[in-house]
Amino acid sequence: MLACQSMDNKISIFATEKLRLNRKKVFKGHMVAGYACQCNFSPDNSYLISGDADGRCFIWDWKTTKVYKRFKAHDGVLYWLCLVTTRDVQSGDMRLGRKD
């Protein structure tokens, strides 16, 4: 599966075999329009995680597509995140070359 951010503040999911849009899996609630914020899956694929323009981290439940948790993680745009374990999240701002 492939997760893609869109300019309408959604994450859409595509099946990788034929690149077909999965209309049942749409993740909303964050603001990313105009920014190249990455999204990632948890190691067990039960959560989808992304940053947003306000520096918030969003974690969605894969099965329900509902926001599981959101919290302020950065002072600026949260461009990328990496799940190190199911408990730890790293984030950063690549434009400034800093990691938080």
Side-chain angles (χ1 to χ4, degrees), residues 24-62:
K24 295 180 182 178
K25 295 289 182 186
V26 177
F27 300 85
K28 305 176 189 176
H30 65 320
M31 174 63 79
V32 293
Y35 298 98
C37 298
Q38 293 181 357
C39 47
N40 245 320
F41 293 98
S42 64
D44 62 358
N45 289 329
S46 59
Y47 297 99
L48 182 66
I49 185 170
S50 175
D52 84 346
D54 296 324
R56 296 175 295 179
C57 176
F58 283 78
I59 302 172
W60 288 270
D61 181 277
W62 174 256

Side-chain angles (χ1 to χ4, degrees), residues 3-22:
C4 300
Q5 294 275 18
S6 61
M7 294 298 283
D8 60 354
N9 300 311
K10 296 179 196 170
I11 298 175
S12 298
I13 304 298
F14 292 84
T16 53
E17 299 84 39
K18 295 183 181 181
L19 284 181
R20 291 194 180 182
L21 177 64
N22 183 341

